Amino acid sequence: MEGLSANAAAALPYIWDFWAIRGHQLPPAGDWRTWVLLGGRGAGKTRAGSEWIRWMAEGATPLARGRAKRIALVAETLDQGREVMIEGPSGIRAVSPPDRRPKWEATRKRLVWPNGAEARVFSARDPEGLRGPQFDAAWGDELAKWPKARAVWQMLQFGLRLGRRPRQLVTTTPRRVPLLAEIMKAPGTVVGRAPTSANRANLAPDFIAEMEREFGGTALARQELEGEFLSEEPGALWPRAILEAGRVREAPALERVVVAVDPPVTGHAGSDECGIVVAGVASEGGKRVAYVLADESVQGLRPEGWAARAVAAFETFQADRIVAEVNQGGDLVESVLRQVAPDVPYTAVRASRGKAARAEPVSAKYEQGLVRHVGSLPALEDQMCAFTGDRRGGSPDRVDALVWAITELLLKGGGGVPRVRGL
Protein backbone atom coordinates (compact mmCIF):
# COMPACT_ATOMS: atom_id res chain seq x y z
CA MET A 1 0.00 0.00 0.00
CA GLU A 2 2.82 2.40 0.83
CA GLY A 3 4.19 2.02 -2.69
CA LEU A 4 0.93 2.99 -4.40
CA SER A 5 0.36 6.43 -5.85
CA ALA A 6 -2.60 8.47 -4.58
CA ASN A 7 -4.56 7.65 -7.73
CA ALA A 8 -3.79 3.93 -7.48
CA ALA A 9 -4.79 3.85 -3.80
CA ALA A 10 -8.08 5.60 -4.63
CA ALA A 11 -8.79 3.17 -7.46
CA LEU A 12 -7.96 0.00 -5.50
CA PRO A 13 -11.37 -0.38 -3.74
CA TYR A 14 -13.05 -0.54 -7.17
CA ILE A 15 -10.75 -3.13 -8.78
CA TRP A 16 -13.04 -6.13 -8.47
CA ASP A 17 -10.53 -8.67 -9.78
CA PHE A 18 -8.51 -7.95 -6.64
CA TRP A 19 -11.36 -8.30 -4.11
CA ALA A 20 -13.62 -10.95 -5.63
CA ILE A 21 -13.98 -14.37 -4.06
CA ARG A 22 -12.35 -16.63 -6.61
CA GLY A 23 -14.49 -19.45 -7.86
CA HIS A 24 -17.89 -17.77 -7.87
CA GLN A 25 -17.87 -13.97 -7.94
CA LEU A 26 -16.05 -13.55 -11.26
CA PRO A 27 -17.71 -14.35 -14.61
CA PRO A 28 -16.77 -17.73 -16.07
CA ALA A 29 -14.63 -18.04 -19.15
CA GLY A 30 -16.00 -19.38 -22.41
CA ASP A 31 -18.73 -18.65 -24.91
CA TRP A 32 -21.81 -18.76 -22.69
CA ARG A 33 -25.16 -16.99 -22.96
CA THR A 34 -26.45 -17.46 -19.40
CA TRP A 35 -24.48 -17.48 -16.17
CA VAL A 36 -26.49 -18.86 -13.25
CA LEU A 37 -25.00 -18.10 -9.84
CA LEU A 38 -26.66 -20.14 -7.09
CA GLY A 39 -25.74 -18.94 -3.63
CA GLY A 40 -26.61 -19.22 0.01
CA ARG A 41 -27.80 -16.29 2.05
CA GLY A 42 -25.07 -13.66 2.29
CA ALA A 43 -22.80 -15.49 -0.16
CA GLY A 44 -22.08 -12.35 -2.17
CA LYS A 45 -24.45 -12.94 -5.11
CA THR A 46 -25.67 -9.33 -5.29
CA ARG A 47 -22.13 -7.96 -5.25
CA ALA A 48 -21.17 -10.37 -8.02
CA GLY A 49 -24.15 -9.19 -10.07
CA SER A 50 -23.43 -5.51 -9.53
CA GLU A 51 -19.79 -5.91 -10.45
CA TRP A 52 -20.68 -7.87 -13.60
CA ILE A 53 -23.01 -5.07 -14.70
CA ARG A 54 -20.19 -2.59 -14.06
CA TRP A 55 -17.86 -4.75 -16.16
CA MET A 56 -20.39 -4.80 -18.99
CA ALA A 57 -21.32 -1.08 -18.88
CA GLU A 58 -18.01 0.64 -18.14
CA GLY A 59 -15.24 1.35 -20.64
CA ALA A 60 -11.53 1.91 -20.13
CA THR A 61 -12.21 5.59 -19.32
CA PRO A 62 -15.35 7.22 -17.90
CA LEU A 63 -16.65 8.19 -21.35
CA ALA A 64 -15.43 5.14 -23.31
CA ARG A 65 -18.02 2.68 -24.59
CA GLY A 66 -18.39 -0.53 -22.62
CA ARG A 67 -19.34 -4.04 -23.66
CA ALA A 68 -23.07 -3.37 -23.25
CA LYS A 69 -25.14 -0.28 -23.89
CA ARG A 70 -28.71 -1.42 -23.13
CA ILE A 71 -29.14 -3.50 -19.98
CA ALA A 72 -32.20 -5.05 -18.31
CA LEU A 73 -32.36 -5.40 -14.52
CA VAL A 74 -35.16 -7.72 -13.39
CA ALA A 75 -36.19 -8.10 -9.75
CA GLU A 76 -39.19 -9.53 -7.93
CA THR A 77 -40.61 -5.98 -7.66
CA LEU A 78 -39.54 -2.54 -8.83
CA ASP A 79 -38.85 -1.54 -5.22
CA GLN A 80 -36.56 -4.53 -4.73
CA GLY A 81 -34.78 -3.69 -7.96
CA ARG A 82 -33.98 -0.23 -6.68
CA GLU A 83 -33.34 -1.10 -3.02
CA VAL A 84 -31.16 -4.17 -3.67
CA MET A 85 -29.72 -4.09 -7.18
CA ILE A 86 -29.18 -0.34 -7.52
CA GLU A 87 -29.08 1.52 -4.20
CA GLY A 88 -28.28 -1.33 -1.79
CA PRO A 89 -24.93 -1.67 0.02
CA SER A 90 -23.80 -4.13 -2.68
CA GLY A 91 -25.82 -2.46 -5.44
CA ILE A 92 -24.53 -1.02 -8.67
CA ARG A 93 -24.21 2.58 -7.52
CA ALA A 94 -22.52 1.63 -4.26
CA VAL A 95 -19.77 -0.37 -5.96
CA SER A 96 -19.12 2.09 -8.80
CA PRO A 97 -16.19 4.54 -8.68
CA PRO A 98 -17.25 8.21 -8.41
CA ASP A 99 -16.20 9.15 -11.95
CA ARG A 100 -18.25 6.31 -13.47
CA ARG A 101 -21.15 6.11 -11.06
CA PRO A 102 -24.44 5.92 -12.96
CA LYS A 103 -27.24 8.34 -12.22
CA TRP A 104 -30.61 7.01 -11.13
CA GLU A 105 -33.56 8.52 -12.99
CA ALA A 106 -36.53 7.50 -10.86
CA THR A 107 -39.25 8.70 -13.22
CA ARG A 108 -37.88 6.58 -16.07
CA LYS A 109 -36.76 3.70 -13.80
CA ARG A 110 -33.31 3.61 -15.28
CA LEU A 111 -29.62 4.06 -14.53
CA VAL A 112 -27.53 6.14 -16.92
CA TRP A 113 -23.73 5.95 -17.03
CA PRO A 114 -21.49 8.87 -18.11
CA ASN A 115 -20.63 6.94 -21.30
CA GLY A 116 -24.31 6.70 -22.30
CA ALA A 117 -24.94 3.09 -21.26
CA GLU A 118 -28.26 2.63 -19.50
CA ALA A 119 -29.95 -0.05 -17.41
CA ARG A 120 -33.73 -0.22 -17.04
CA VAL A 121 -35.45 -1.87 -14.08
CA PHE A 122 -38.31 -4.31 -14.59
CA SER A 123 -40.66 -6.10 -12.22
CA ALA A 124 -41.10 -9.86 -12.37
CA ARG A 125 -44.78 -9.21 -11.73
CA ASP A 126 -45.18 -7.51 -15.10
CA PRO A 127 -44.03 -9.60 -18.07
CA GLU A 128 -45.66 -7.16 -20.50
CA GLY A 129 -43.22 -4.48 -19.33
CA LEU A 130 -40.50 -6.40 -21.15
CA ARG A 131 -42.41 -6.50 -24.41
CA GLY A 132 -40.76 -4.10 -26.83
CA PRO A 133 -37.39 -3.07 -25.27
CA GLN A 134 -34.23 -4.76 -26.50
CA PHE A 135 -30.95 -5.38 -24.70
CA ASP A 136 -27.42 -6.65 -25.04
CA ALA A 137 -27.11 -7.69 -21.37
CA ALA A 138 -29.43 -8.57 -18.49
CA TRP A 139 -29.26 -9.38 -14.79
CA GLY A 140 -32.12 -11.21 -13.08
CA ASP A 141 -31.96 -11.29 -9.28
CA GLU A 142 -33.66 -13.96 -7.11
CA LEU A 143 -35.36 -15.63 -10.05
CA ALA A 144 -36.64 -18.41 -7.78
CA LYS A 145 -38.92 -15.80 -6.13
CA TRP A 146 -40.32 -14.26 -9.32
CA PRO A 147 -44.14 -14.44 -9.18
CA LYS A 148 -44.55 -14.72 -12.97
CA ALA A 149 -41.20 -16.29 -13.65
CA ARG A 150 -41.84 -18.17 -16.87
CA ALA A 151 -43.66 -15.35 -18.67
CA VAL A 152 -41.07 -12.79 -17.57
CA TRP A 153 -38.17 -15.03 -18.61
CA GLN A 154 -39.70 -15.63 -22.03
CA MET A 155 -40.20 -11.91 -22.66
CA LEU A 156 -36.64 -11.22 -21.52
CA GLN A 157 -35.26 -13.77 -24.00
CA PHE A 158 -37.13 -12.11 -26.86
CA GLY A 159 -35.57 -8.78 -25.90
CA LEU A 160 -32.01 -10.02 -25.43
CA ARG A 161 -31.04 -9.51 -29.07
CA LEU A 162 -28.55 -6.65 -29.37
CA GLY A 163 -24.82 -6.84 -29.99
CA ARG A 164 -22.61 -9.67 -31.16
CA ARG A 165 -22.97 -11.76 -27.99
CA PRO A 166 -25.83 -10.81 -25.67
CA ARG A 167 -25.42 -12.28 -22.20
CA GLN A 168 -27.39 -12.57 -19.00
CA LEU A 169 -26.72 -13.32 -15.35
CA VAL A 170 -29.14 -14.97 -12.93
CA THR A 171 -28.34 -14.67 -9.22
CA THR A 172 -30.59 -16.56 -6.85
CA THR A 173 -30.86 -18.65 -3.75
CA PRO A 174 -32.06 -21.92 -5.28
CA ARG A 175 -35.55 -23.25 -4.78
CA ARG A 176 -37.36 -26.10 -6.53
CA VAL A 177 -38.67 -23.98 -9.37
CA PRO A 178 -39.07 -25.88 -12.67
CA LEU A 179 -37.99 -22.87 -14.73
CA LEU A 180 -34.71 -22.60 -12.84
CA ALA A 181 -33.99 -26.27 -13.47
CA GLU A 182 -34.69 -25.79 -17.17
CA ILE A 183 -32.41 -22.75 -17.41
CA MET A 184 -29.59 -24.63 -15.68
CA LYS A 185 -29.85 -27.49 -18.19
CA ALA A 186 -30.17 -25.28 -21.28
CA PRO A 187 -27.36 -25.17 -23.88
CA GLY A 188 -25.20 -22.11 -23.35
CA THR A 189 -25.72 -22.02 -19.58
CA VAL A 190 -22.90 -22.22 -17.05
CA VAL A 191 -23.71 -22.69 -13.37
CA GLY A 192 -21.71 -21.43 -10.41
CA ARG A 193 -22.36 -22.15 -6.74
CA ALA A 194 -21.56 -20.03 -3.71
CA PRO A 195 -21.97 -21.27 -0.13
CA THR A 196 -22.58 -18.70 2.57
CA SER A 197 -19.37 -19.76 4.29
CA ALA A 198 -17.30 -18.52 1.33
CA ASN A 199 -18.17 -14.95 2.32
CA ARG A 200 -17.72 -15.37 6.08
CA ALA A 201 -15.19 -12.50 6.19
CA ASN A 202 -17.98 -10.04 5.37
CA LEU A 203 -20.64 -11.49 7.70
CA ALA A 204 -21.29 -11.14 11.43
CA PRO A 205 -18.81 -13.37 13.30
CA ASP A 206 -21.43 -15.67 14.82
CA PHE A 207 -23.90 -15.72 11.91
CA ILE A 208 -22.69 -18.91 10.23
CA ALA A 209 -22.26 -20.75 13.53
CA GLU A 210 -25.77 -19.79 14.59
CA MET A 211 -27.30 -20.80 11.25
CA GLU A 212 -25.52 -24.15 11.32
CA ARG A 213 -26.63 -24.73 14.90
CA GLU A 214 -30.23 -23.93 14.05
CA PHE A 215 -30.56 -25.48 10.59
CA GLY A 216 -27.54 -27.77 10.14
CA GLY A 217 -28.35 -31.16 8.65
CA THR A 218 -31.56 -30.02 6.96
CA ALA A 219 -32.53 -29.59 3.34
CA LEU A 220 -33.21 -25.94 4.17
CA ALA A 221 -29.56 -25.50 5.13
CA ARG A 222 -28.40 -27.12 1.90
CA GLN A 223 -30.61 -24.73 -0.04
CA GLU A 224 -30.28 -21.48 1.92
CA LEU A 225 -26.68 -21.79 3.18
CA GLU A 226 -24.94 -24.08 0.69
CA GLY A 227 -26.73 -22.78 -2.40
CA GLU A 228 -27.66 -26.25 -3.61
CA PHE A 229 -30.49 -26.82 -6.04
CA LEU A 230 -32.53 -29.62 -4.48
CA SER A 231 -34.49 -31.32 -7.23
CA GLU A 232 -37.52 -33.54 -6.75
CA GLU A 233 -39.06 -35.63 -9.49
CA PRO A 234 -42.85 -35.38 -9.93
CA GLY A 235 -44.37 -38.46 -8.34
CA ALA A 236 -41.27 -39.27 -6.29
CA LEU A 237 -41.90 -41.98 -3.69
CA TRP A 238 -40.14 -39.81 -1.12
CA PRO A 239 -41.05 -36.09 -1.25
CA ARG A 240 -38.57 -33.87 0.56
CA ALA A 241 -41.30 -32.58 2.85
CA ILE A 242 -41.70 -36.08 4.33
CA LEU A 243 -37.95 -36.47 4.83
CA GLU A 244 -37.72 -33.10 6.56
CA ALA A 245 -40.71 -33.87 8.81
CA GLY A 246 -38.95 -36.98 10.06
CA ARG A 247 -35.45 -35.57 10.56
CA VAL A 248 -33.91 -35.77 14.05
CA ARG A 249 -30.57 -34.75 15.49
CA GLU A 250 -29.90 -38.08 17.23
CA ALA A 251 -31.40 -41.52 17.65
CA PRO A 252 -32.73 -42.96 20.91
CA ALA A 253 -31.49 -46.24 22.37
CA LEU A 254 -32.00 -48.79 19.60
CA GLU A 255 -33.09 -52.42 19.86
CA ARG A 256 -31.42 -53.54 16.62
CA VAL A 257 -29.05 -52.07 14.08
CA VAL A 258 -28.40 -53.49 10.62
CA VAL A 259 -26.04 -52.64 7.79
CA ALA A 260 -27.72 -53.17 4.41
CA VAL A 261 -25.60 -53.65 1.30
CA ASP A 262 -26.58 -53.47 -2.38
CA PRO A 263 -23.36 -54.64 -4.09
CA PRO A 264 -22.44 -53.67 -7.66
CA VAL A 265 -22.15 -56.24 -10.42
CA THR A 266 -18.54 -55.26 -11.10
CA GLY A 267 -15.82 -53.63 -9.07
CA HIS A 268 -13.95 -50.92 -10.99
CA ALA A 269 -13.97 -47.14 -11.42
CA GLY A 270 -16.89 -47.17 -13.85
CA SER A 271 -19.11 -49.58 -11.91
CA ASP A 272 -22.31 -48.68 -10.09
CA GLU A 273 -22.19 -47.53 -6.50
CA CYS A 274 -22.22 -50.07 -3.73
CA GLY A 275 -25.11 -48.96 -1.55
CA ILE A 276 -24.31 -49.28 2.16
CA VAL A 277 -26.91 -47.91 4.58
CA VAL A 278 -27.01 -48.25 8.37
CA ALA A 279 -30.35 -48.20 10.18
CA GLY A 280 -31.77 -49.17 13.55
CA VAL A 281 -35.14 -49.63 15.20
CA ALA A 282 -36.72 -48.60 18.50
CA SER A 283 -40.11 -49.13 20.12
CA GLU A 284 -42.02 -45.90 20.70
CA GLY A 285 -45.59 -45.69 21.92
CA GLY A 286 -46.36 -49.24 20.91
CA LYS A 287 -44.91 -48.77 17.41
CA ARG A 288 -41.59 -49.74 15.91
CA VAL A 289 -39.77 -46.73 14.46
CA ALA A 290 -36.72 -47.02 12.20
CA TYR A 291 -33.82 -44.56 12.28
CA VAL A 292 -31.52 -44.20 9.28
CA LEU A 293 -28.13 -43.57 10.87
CA ALA A 294 -25.62 -43.33 8.02
CA ASP A 295 -25.02 -43.66 4.30
CA GLU A 296 -21.63 -45.29 3.80
CA SER A 297 -22.06 -46.01 0.08
CA VAL A 298 -18.95 -46.13 -2.11
CA GLN A 299 -18.13 -46.36 -5.80
CA GLY A 300 -15.27 -47.76 -7.82
CA LEU A 301 -13.97 -50.21 -5.22
CA ARG A 302 -13.21 -53.85 -5.81
CA PRO A 303 -15.33 -56.35 -3.82
CA GLU A 304 -12.89 -56.52 -0.94
CA GLY A 305 -13.00 -52.71 -0.74
CA TRP A 306 -16.77 -52.33 -0.36
CA ALA A 307 -16.85 -55.38 1.93
CA ALA A 308 -14.31 -53.70 4.23
CA ARG A 309 -16.44 -50.54 4.21
CA ALA A 310 -19.55 -52.52 5.19
CA VAL A 311 -17.74 -54.33 7.99
CA ALA A 312 -16.31 -51.04 9.27
CA ALA A 313 -19.85 -49.63 9.43
CA PHE A 314 -20.97 -52.80 11.25
CA GLU A 315 -18.29 -52.26 13.89
CA THR A 316 -18.70 -48.47 14.18
CA PHE A 317 -22.44 -48.66 14.80
CA GLN A 318 -22.26 -51.89 16.85
CA ALA A 319 -24.69 -53.49 14.44
CA ASP A 320 -26.36 -56.88 14.83
CA ARG A 321 -26.28 -58.03 11.23
CA ILE A 322 -25.23 -57.30 7.66
CA VAL A 323 -28.04 -57.74 5.14
CA ALA A 324 -26.92 -58.00 1.51
CA GLU A 325 -28.71 -58.48 -1.79
CA VAL A 326 -27.34 -61.48 -3.68
CA ASN A 327 -29.19 -61.34 -7.00
CA GLN A 328 -26.00 -60.39 -8.84
CA GLY A 329 -23.25 -61.89 -6.73
CA GLY A 330 -24.80 -65.01 -5.17
CA ASP A 331 -22.48 -66.79 -2.76
CA LEU A 332 -19.63 -64.48 -3.76
CA VAL A 333 -21.13 -61.66 -1.67
CA GLU A 334 -20.98 -63.69 1.55
CA SER A 335 -17.57 -65.08 0.63
CA VAL A 336 -16.09 -61.60 0.20
CA LEU A 337 -17.62 -60.33 3.46
CA ARG A 338 -16.28 -63.32 5.39
CA GLN A 339 -12.81 -62.78 4.00
CA VAL A 340 -12.87 -59.45 5.85
CA ALA A 341 -14.78 -60.63 8.97
CA PRO A 342 -15.23 -64.43 9.15
CA ASP A 343 -17.79 -64.38 11.97
CA VAL A 344 -19.92 -61.42 10.97
CA PRO A 345 -23.69 -62.14 11.30
CA TYR A 346 -25.03 -62.17 7.76
CA THR A 347 -28.35 -62.50 5.96
CA ALA A 348 -28.68 -62.85 2.20
CA VAL A 349 -31.76 -61.34 0.56
CA ARG A 350 -32.92 -61.92 -2.98
CA ALA A 351 -35.13 -59.56 -4.97
CA SER A 352 -38.19 -61.31 -6.40
CA ARG A 353 -39.96 -58.07 -7.39
CA GLY A 354 -38.92 -54.90 -9.19
CA LYS A 355 -37.26 -51.97 -7.44
CA ALA A 356 -40.43 -49.87 -7.29
CA ALA A 357 -42.54 -52.72 -5.89
CA ARG A 358 -39.97 -53.27 -3.13
CA ALA A 359 -39.70 -49.55 -2.41
CA GLU A 360 -43.40 -48.71 -2.14
CA PRO A 361 -44.01 -50.42 1.24
CA VAL A 362 -40.95 -48.64 2.63
CA SER A 363 -42.22 -45.32 1.26
CA ALA A 364 -45.50 -46.00 3.07
CA LYS A 365 -43.63 -46.35 6.36
CA TYR A 366 -42.17 -42.88 5.78
CA GLU A 367 -45.64 -41.50 5.13
CA GLN A 368 -46.80 -43.03 8.41
CA GLY A 369 -43.98 -41.26 10.26
CA LEU A 370 -42.26 -44.53 11.16
CA VAL A 371 -38.87 -43.80 9.56
CA ARG A 372 -36.61 -40.93 10.59
CA HIS A 373 -33.26 -39.69 9.33
CA VAL A 374 -30.56 -38.81 11.83
CA GLY A 375 -28.84 -35.66 10.63
CA SER A 376 -28.14 -34.97 6.95
CA LEU A 377 -27.84 -37.73 4.34
CA PRO A 378 -27.68 -35.59 1.18
CA ALA A 379 -26.60 -38.12 -1.46
CA LEU A 380 -29.09 -40.73 -0.28
CA GLU A 381 -31.91 -38.20 -0.02
CA ASP A 382 -31.24 -36.78 -3.47
CA GLN A 383 -31.53 -40.29 -4.89
CA MET A 384 -34.72 -40.92 -2.92
CA CYS A 385 -36.31 -37.71 -4.22
CA ALA A 386 -35.49 -38.73 -7.79
CA PHE A 387 -37.03 -42.20 -7.46
CA THR A 388 -40.51 -42.64 -8.94
CA GLY A 389 -42.76 -45.66 -9.22
CA ASP A 390 -42.35 -45.77 -13.02
CA ARG A 391 -38.58 -45.32 -12.97
CA ARG A 392 -36.78 -46.68 -16.01
CA GLY A 393 -33.05 -47.28 -16.26
CA GLY A 394 -30.32 -46.47 -13.82
CA SER A 395 -29.59 -48.21 -10.55
CA PRO A 396 -30.55 -46.35 -7.34
CA ASP A 397 -28.05 -48.27 -5.24
CA ARG A 398 -28.32 -46.16 -2.08
CA VAL A 399 -32.12 -46.41 -2.24
CA ASP A 400 -31.89 -50.19 -2.73
CA ALA A 401 -29.74 -50.53 0.37
CA LEU A 402 -32.13 -48.32 2.32
CA VAL A 403 -35.10 -50.43 1.22
CA TRP A 404 -33.39 -53.63 2.36
CA ALA A 405 -32.56 -52.07 5.73
CA ILE A 406 -36.08 -50.82 6.45
CA THR A 407 -37.60 -54.05 5.14
CA GLU A 408 -35.45 -56.02 7.56
CA LEU A 409 -36.32 -53.81 10.52
CA LEU A 410 -40.01 -53.02 9.97
CA LEU A 411 -41.49 -55.34 7.37
CA LYS A 412 -40.03 -58.75 8.28
CA GLY A 413 -40.30 -58.62 12.04
CA GLY A 414 -36.57 -58.01 12.28
CA GLY A 415 -35.48 -61.49 13.38
CA GLY A 416 -33.02 -62.08 16.16
CA VAL A 417 -33.29 -61.09 19.81
CA PRO A 418 -33.78 -57.35 20.44
CA ARG A 419 -31.33 -55.78 22.82
CA VAL A 420 -31.24 -52.15 23.92
CA ARG A 421 -28.04 -50.24 23.40
CA GLY A 422 -27.07 -46.57 23.25
CA LEU A 423 -25.36 -45.04 20.23
Side-chain angles (χ1 to χ4, degrees), residues 14 50-51 53-54 58 73 82 84-98 100-105 110-113 139:
Y14 303 101
S50 295
E51 294 287 356
I53 293 298
R54 269 193 62 204
E58 293 179 4
L73 304 176
R82 177 173 180 176
V84 176
M85 303 172 78
I86 295 171
E87 301 285 9
S90 297
I92 297 168
R93 281 178 47 80
V95 304
S96 298
R100 305 177 195 205
R101 185 167 295 144
K103 179 182 178 182
W104 170 244
E105 296 181 353
R110 70 174 187 174
L111 281 175
V112 180
W113 275 262
W139 172 24

Side-chain angles (χ1 to χ4, degrees), residues 42-291:
K45 303 185 298 298
T46 303
R47 181 65 184 268
S50 295
E51 294 287 356
W52 184 72
I53 293 298
R54 269 193 62 204
W55 184 75
M56 294 295 289
E58 293 179 4
T61 62
L63 299 181
R65 182 186 175 95
R67 298 172 179 82
K69 195 169 181 64
R70 297 290 179 265
I71 302 168
L73 304 176
V74 186
E76 180 183 5
T77 65
L78 291 174
D79 286 345
Q80 292 230 337
R82 177 173 180 176
E83 297 300 323
V84 176
M85 303 172 78
I86 295 171
E87 301 285 9
S90 297
I92 297 168
R93 281 178 47 80
V95 304
S96 298
D99 62 342
R100 305 177 195 205
R101 185 167 295 144
K103 179 182 178 182
W104 170 244
E105 296 181 353
T107 57
R108 301 188 64 180
K109 301 181 183 64
R110 70 174 187 174
L111 281 175
V112 180
W113 275 262
N115 66 358
E118 66 175 55
R120 294 181 58 187
V121 183
F122 297 90
S123 168
R125 299 177 183 273
D126 179 23
E128 291 301 306
L130 282 157
R131 187 184 294 275
Q134 53 186 353
F135 316 100
D136 46 14
W139 172 24
D141 189 44
E142 295 297 352
L143 178 143
K145 293 171 55 184
W146 289 3
K148 297 183 179 180
R150 188 172 297 278
V152 169
W153 182 258
Q154 290 172 343
M155 289 297 102
L156 180 60
Q157 301 317 295
F158 283 124
L160 197 64
R161 58 179 185 259
L162 293 180
R164 295 180 58 189
R165 186 187 295 171
R167 288 182 163 183
Q168 58 195 338
L169 166 63
V170 173
T171 54
T172 188
T173 298
R175 295 167 67 186
R176 289 194 301 276
V177 176
L179 175 63
L180 180 57
E182 294 168 18
I183 294 170
M184 291 168 60
K185 294 177 181 179
T189 295
V190 293
V191 180
R193 291 175 173 83
T196 300
S197 58
N199 197 34
R200 65 171 64 244
N202 296 308
L203 302 174
D206 61 348
F207 171 75
I208 292 177
E210 181 63 20
M211 291 299 98
E212 291 177 346
R213 184 194 67 77
E214 182 71 19
F215 303 109
T218 67
L220 185 65
R222 293 178 63 194
Q223 174 180 285
E224 301 292 327
L225 299 179
E226 297 301 318
E228 293 186 35
F229 183 83
L230 304 181
S231 61
E232 181 176 301
E233 289 293 323
L237 291 185
W238 288 277
R240 288 194 186 273
I242 287 180
L243 301 184
E244 286 304 305
R247 195 181 307 281
V248 296
R249 292 186 180 275
E250 60 184 25
L254 299 172
E255 297 172 4
R256 293 191 67 221
V257 174
V258 299
V259 177
V261 182
D262 179 56
V265 179
T266 57
H268 53 74
S271 63
D272 292 331
E273 290 178 314
C274 176
I276 303 174
V277 170
V278 186
V281 68
S283 296
E284 300 178 8
K287 297 180 179 180
R288 293 175 67 75
V289 179
Y291 288 83

Side-chain angles (χ1 to χ4, degrees), residues 334-353:
E334 180 178 4
S335 174
V336 173
L337 284 167
R338 296 209 181 280
Q339 288 177 24
V340 178
D343 299 323
V344 65
Y346 168 80
T347 296
V349 291
R350 187 175 296 276
S352 58
R353 299 180 295 167

